[in-house]
Amino acid sequence: MQRQIAIEMRNITKSFGDKKANENVNLQVYAGEVHALLGENGAGKTTLMNMLSGIYTPDEGEIYINGEKVVFHSPADSIKLGIGMIHQHFKLIDVMTAKENVIIGQKTSFFTKGKALSQEIKTLSDKYGLDIDPDKKVYEMSVGEKQTLEIIKVLYRGAKILILDEPTAVLTPQEIQKLFKVINNMKAQGCAIVIITHKLNEVMEISDRVTVLRKGQSVETVITKESSIPSLIESMVGKKMNLAITREKVQKGLPILKLDGVTVKNADGKEMLSNASFDLSRYEILGVAGVANSGQKELCEVIAGLVKADKGRIYFEDENIVGKTPRDIIKLGIRMGFIPEDRLGMGLVGGMDIVHNIVLKDYQNQPGILLRRGPCIEKAKKIVDALDILTPSINTPVKKLSGGNIQKVLLGREIDSAPKVLITAYPVRGLDIGASHKIYDLLNEQKKAGVGVLFVGEDLDVLMELCDRIMVLCHGEITGIVDPEKVTKEDIGLLMTGQKIGEEAAV
């Protein structure tokens, strides 16, 4: 029996100015199939799916849905044909209930639905194995519940083709397994599901076939069970790579940074970080895990002096630095490298070139009133060479670089300042596989040099392979500090939701 082709994209080409995001891409997805779309950052995955969901229109090529040629002029055209895209960043209104979010934008007013709408949602949930309270407000939901609601939204609109963009990026291991059950239920109901992801272990677990994109072109489509992670990586990057992450065995030094009961509140008085107490030692990488908005940002910023602690003390080499500005901290001879989550908003000035972004870091340390650009030019050249930064020149404004290269500039500048503590928030977000492993190597080098590294990450596999200890945050509280060699990902997942694990794992 011949399988029905739900999606066929033939020779799709899309350019933005002089850059071709997709070039002659071909993709076929069957009904009742989970199809993974793989590729390095910038390979054209999201652009391709944005054309399937009506956000972009191809410059060349044809799209067929269930055998019929289609042309999308807007997302509404795509929705009418049963295509739903679930973006990595949820598009929900926090103050509304689940059912209000489902119905908003529909022609039928939610004022006339009431109990009938709740029943429709419950029936839909039962069909696909979803679990949602129609009357629950979005701001009361966990990340997993919000994602479930996004799935219900597109299913309610009649979607039989679903596109999931990095669906597991912010989920705990337990929530990931729940999502996979839902995906398999949708597959059994005949849905065609496309997953954009970079987590190869999950690709091997959930997908039936994989299409690999490289530099905007479709390289190959393979049956997942007939493939392997090394072969997929080789297809993605065009060469064989050793992707083992090393945890350097180094004797841990004395504590260099200590937090004692640190609390940070937002403008409304809500505690974003609550009574945080821990230490970070020399020759150590301390990982920080947690679902999004669990206090990671506030933790990094309070240590770096960018926000004020409402309570508690922070000791850097036995000196309390609470209340001091970043400039005060530098004057004290306390050198901390800080790589914020918001690269251009806080880390770099987009309109400035690499040289002048280094000048920003160095000018306070230069003697006299005149700035010497020469040393900064040499540093810029060294950083570009060491990190393989792709830039027309060191005088190119950083906002014109790709996200991955912007991140390399920032990390290179901070490491070059020879910090004693290096605070890194999602340092490999936006980087390709090779660049990510270069960053892990650099962090290990810092560790071996006696630096204390605070590594805020979202990939539990990386955290467990790289870090000496892992600290878990949930709703701004530290729920545990564990030895990654003594726990499982599921254990860390429990801590991420505020639950307890065995005492023997704590360190």
Side-chain angles (χ1 to χ4, degrees), residues 218-229:
S218 47
V219 179
E220 65 174 355
T221 297
V222 298
I223 297 170
T224 306
K225 63 185 179 183
E226 295 177 1
S227 187
S228 66
I229 288 178

Side-chain angles (χ1 to χ4, degrees), residues 363-372:
Y363 80 95
Q364 296 176 86
N365 301 321
Q366 291 195 16
I369 60 173
L370 297 176
L371 289 174
R372 291 178 297 140

Side-chain angles (χ1 to χ4, degrees), residues 162-221:
L162 287 92
I163 306 162
L164 305 177
D165 189 0
E166 298 286 357
T168 65
V170 293
L171 301 183
T172 67
Q174 288 85 349
E175 288 172 328
I176 290 170
Q177 290 308 310
K178 285 183 183 178
L179 174 64
F180 285 179
K181 286 182 181 178
V182 170
I183 289 173
N184 281 322
N185 287 336
M186 291 190 292
K187 170 184 164 182
Q189 296 286 340
C191 293
I193 301 145
V194 179
I195 295 180
I196 305 172
T197 185
H198 68 280
K199 296 183 179 181
L200 296 175
N201 289 329
E202 294 175 6
V203 168
M204 300 304 292
E205 180 179 351
I206 192 64
S207 70
D208 298 298
R209 290 192 302 151
V210 182
T211 292
V212 178
L213 300 185
R214 185 167 74 237
K215 296 180 180 177
Q217 298 181 322
S218 47
V219 179
E220 65 174 355
T221 297

Side-chain angles (χ1 to χ4, degrees), residues 280-442:
L280 170 66
S281 298
R282 295 179 183 273
Y283 302 98
E284 178 186 34
I285 298 179
L286 174 63
V288 180
V291 297
N293 302 316
S294 289
Q296 299 97 321
K297 181 173 181 284
E298 290 75 16
L299 174 65
C300 291
E301 291 181 358
V302 75
I303 296 172
L306 296 175
V307 300
K308 185 179 178 181
D310 292 280
K311 190 174 71 173
R313 291 164 291 185
I314 302 172
Y315 294 102
F316 186 99
E317 295 185 321
D318 296 324
E319 181 161 1
N320 187 6
I321 61 172
V322 165
K324 291 181 168 54
T325 65
R327 181 171 291 187
D328 292 333
I329 291 170
I330 291 171
K331 285 180 180 178
L332 286 171
I334 299 169
R335 305 184 71 179
M336 289 192 290
F338 177 51
I339 300 165
E341 187 175 349
D342 181 3
R343 314 297 177 211
L344 290 179
M346 292 174 63
L348 299 169
V349 178
M352 289 185 175
D353 59 24
I354 299 174
V355 175
H356 283 89
N357 271 286
I358 290 172
V359 167
L360 284 176
K361 187 77 175 182
D362 278 10
Y363 80 95
Q364 296 176 86
N365 301 321
Q366 291 195 16
I369 60 173
L370 297 176
L371 289 174
R372 291 178 297 140
R373 292 181 75 248
C376 293
I377 290 171
E378 291 307 310
K379 282 187 181 182
K381 290 177 179 177
K382 186 177 83 172
I383 290 169
V384 167
D385 290 341
L387 296 184
D388 298 322
I389 295 170
L390 298 178
T391 176
S393 79
I394 58 173
N395 304 118
T396 300
V398 295
K399 67 182 179 182
K400 293 189 176 181
L401 306 182
S402 70
N405 285 300
I406 289 170
Q407 171 63 342
K408 288 182 187 179
V409 171
L410 183 53
L411 185 62
R413 185 190 72 179
E414 298 303 322
I415 287 177
D416 184 78
S417 70
K420 294 178 181 178
V421 165
L422 184 62
I423 306 168
T424 64
Y426 311 106
V428 299
R429 182 181 284 171
L431 299 190
D432 58 37
I433 293 172
S436 296
H437 281 74
K438 176 72 172 176
I439 299 303
Y440 303 145
D441 290 341
L442 286 170

Side-chain angles (χ1 to χ4, degrees), residues 101-164:
N101 271 276
V102 168
I103 202 67
I104 195 167
Q106 304 286 305
K107 290 183 179 178
T108 307
S109 169
F110 59 75
F111 292 111
T112 64
K113 301 290 280 187
K115 292 181 180 178
L117 176 58
S118 294
Q119 187 55 52
E120 284 182 56
I121 292 173
K122 286 178 180 177
T123 301
L124 193 63
S125 299
D126 292 342
K127 179 179 179 182
Y128 292 102
L130 298 161
D131 184 20
I132 200 78
D133 178 357
D135 298 304
K136 192 172 186 178
K137 300 278 190 182
V138 169
Y139 65 78
E140 299 174 326
M141 296 181 182
S142 68
V143 175
E145 287 176 310
K146 290 177 182 177
Q147 188 171 67
T148 299
L149 177 55
E150 287 281 21
I151 293 172
I152 289 173
K153 275 173 58 181
V154 298
L155 292 174
Y156 183 83
R157 293 171 181 167
K160 294 290 285 184
I161 296 171
L162 287 92
I163 306 162
L164 305 177

